[in-house]
């Protein structure tokens, strides 16, 4: 088996369907996120298809498109996706308001909450088009987490024109002034405009106990039994983190007053923004507000989204409800793979195929891994529609020409440089020594130097070291 194939988690699982669902492809990490997978990885997909058809029974059940929230948005999201599937750019052309936030430069820690919100919605739209038109998937249900509830309704075709929602939200200042930005709701309720968001990896009951005595800190979101979000006043959050253990707490730079009672101060504006025209579709809609499915209508959608925004959001309940209704295939749309990770934790060893279409730093490789896992689990997909998009582009076949003999060696012309000469050194003055006279040498040539008459020899001068002022001799 090629080394490009690996499985996540223990390979001794007694659940073959779950083992197949966790199959992923490991791509060469030295390549940039924009590079296309190589032929070995394409062959690995086909090999996984053979394995799934001969070794296991396919996973049967309904398919749900899952839409994550904006807190997982990152600066490089979607770049490799558009490189591998350029036809998806049509989604951005159709929605210029979302595209503006998607294309604007930003950093993971420095992006405004609104940019994270709308850019993640743009990515969800790209993933929805990818799932339907390229992967050939059709959902039986849609599940939204936080802001993903709105994206799920747009994906299903129940809502239309997401750009209109962007314009209305910007004009009203709901996100930029009231529950974010200036935090007007906090100024009215607390006389403060400071707010922080923290992810805590600790048992939910321990977190409940830690916030019980903090009126300005809330347990806002429950992801799993040991993964949740606490929000509120920075000082109150710091005390909660200290009780839980700072090493288990991570600052999340997506600060909005949501999933807390303080949002009820703008409930009317919230309902007005989410009270939109509805087109019925043959798809089941789940809401974290109800913890299950509901029948969409203009008012029902707005109420459902308010119910998950003005109190603690419990993602476990909606996943359990979807499982009980027969959903076995969960395909996450939007930034990163947080929802997929939580779903795996919630369902534990139950049969399920859980994949995500984005992973930070992976580019289009995340799509390849998701497609491989779906194919391996027996999901009805057209393999050719996937592999045709990721085959390496063949290099142009042009002959390479080389000279038979090397070119002659040509010496460089070095210009002549005139010879430099130094003038003679000036004659030094004679040195007079006290008490001695040094006569000149005899002018007569009959005496050699060794025959010159003896003369007194001057004693060399004694060198005395310099003594600092105030020093001792």
């Amino acid at each position: 088996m090629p080394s490009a194939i690996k499985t996540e988690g223990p390979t001794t699982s007694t659940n073959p369907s779950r083992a197949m669902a966790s199959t992923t492809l490991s791509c060469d990490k030295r390549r940039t996120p924009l590079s296309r997978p190589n032929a070995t990885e394409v062959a690995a997909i086909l090999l996984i298809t053979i394995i799934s058809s001969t070794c296991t029974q396919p996973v049967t059940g309904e398919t749900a498109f899952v839409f994550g929230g904006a807190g997982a948005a990152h600066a490089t999201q979607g770049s490799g996706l558009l490189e591998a599937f350029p036809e998806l750019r049509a989604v951005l052309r159709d929605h210029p308001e979302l595209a503006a936030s998607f294309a604007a430069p930003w950093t993971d820690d420095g992006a405004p909450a609104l940019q994270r919100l709308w850019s993640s919605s743009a990515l969800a739209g790209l993933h929805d088009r990818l799932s339907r038109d390229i992967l050939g998937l059709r959902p039986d249900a849609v599940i939204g987490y936080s802001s993903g509830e709105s994206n799920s309704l747009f994906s299903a075709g129940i809502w239309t024109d997401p750009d209109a929602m962007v314009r209305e939200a910007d004009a009203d200042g709901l996100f930029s002034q009231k529950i974010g930005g200036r935090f007007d709701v906090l100024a009215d309720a607390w006389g403060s405009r400071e707010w922080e968001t923290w992810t805590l990896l600790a048992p939910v009951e321990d977190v409940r106990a830690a916030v019980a005595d903090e009126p300005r800190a809330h347990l806002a979101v429950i992801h799993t039994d040991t993964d949740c979000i606490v929000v509120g006043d920075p000082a109150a959050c710091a005390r909660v983190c200290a009780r839980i253990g700072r090493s288990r707490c991570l600052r999340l730079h997506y600060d909005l007053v949501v999933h807390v009672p303080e949002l009820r101060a703008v409930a009317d504006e919230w309902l007005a923004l989410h009270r939109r025209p509805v087109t019925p579709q043959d798809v089941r809609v789940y809401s974290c507000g109800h913890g299950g499915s509901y029948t969409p209508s203009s008012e029902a959608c707005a109420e459902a989204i308010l119910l998950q925004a003005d109190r603690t959001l419990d993602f476990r309940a909606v996943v359990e409800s979807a499982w009980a209704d027969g959903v076995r295939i969960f395909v996450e749309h939007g930034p990163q793979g947080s929802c997929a990770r939580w779903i795996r934790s919630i369902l534990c060893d139950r049969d399920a195929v859980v994949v995500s279409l984005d992973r930070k730093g992976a580019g289009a490789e995340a799509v390849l891994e998701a497609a491989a896992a779906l194919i391996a689990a027996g999901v009805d997909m057209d393999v050719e529609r996937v592999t045709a998009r990721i085959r390496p582009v063949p290099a142009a076949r042009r002959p390479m020409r080389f000279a038979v003999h090397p070119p002659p060696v040509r010496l460089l012309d070095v210009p002549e440089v005139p010879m430099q000469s130094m003038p003679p050194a000036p004659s030094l003055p004679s040195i007079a020594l006290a008490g001695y006279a040094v006569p000149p040498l005899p002018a007569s040539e009959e005496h050699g130097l060794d025959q010159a008459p003896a003369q007194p020899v001057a004693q060399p001068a004694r060198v005395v070291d310099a003594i600092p002022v105030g020093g001792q001799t």
Side-chain angles (χ1 to χ4, degrees), residues 224-299:
T224 70
D225 292 342
T226 57
D227 187 333
C228 56
I229 289 179
V230 167
V231 300
D233 177 77
C237 289
R239 288 189 293 270
V240 171
C241 291
R243 292 168 191 151
I244 295 298
R246 186 63 181 81
S247 62
R248 295 193 287 175
C249 306
L250 177 67
R251 178 77 164 90
L252 181 62
H253 296 278
Y254 182 63
D255 297 324
L256 290 175
V257 183
V258 67
H259 310 307
V260 293
E262 284 78 9
L263 183 127
R264 294 167 189 164
V266 292
D268 291 340
E269 294 94 321
W270 186 271
L271 288 170
L273 179 65
H274 296 94
R275 191 179 288 119
R276 314 194 71 78
V278 165
T279 302
Q281 301 290 337
D282 186 19
V283 64
R284 197 162 61 254
V285 179
Y286 287 85
S287 170
C288 291
H290 295 295
S293 63
Y294 69 99
T295 301
S297 68
S298 181
E299 194 63 32

Side-chain angles (χ1 to χ4, degrees), residues 51-68:
I51 294 173
S52 65
S53 64
T54 58
C55 298
T56 66
Q57 294 296 323
V59 176
T60 59
E62 294 183 331
T63 298
F65 284 3
V66 182
F67 293 84

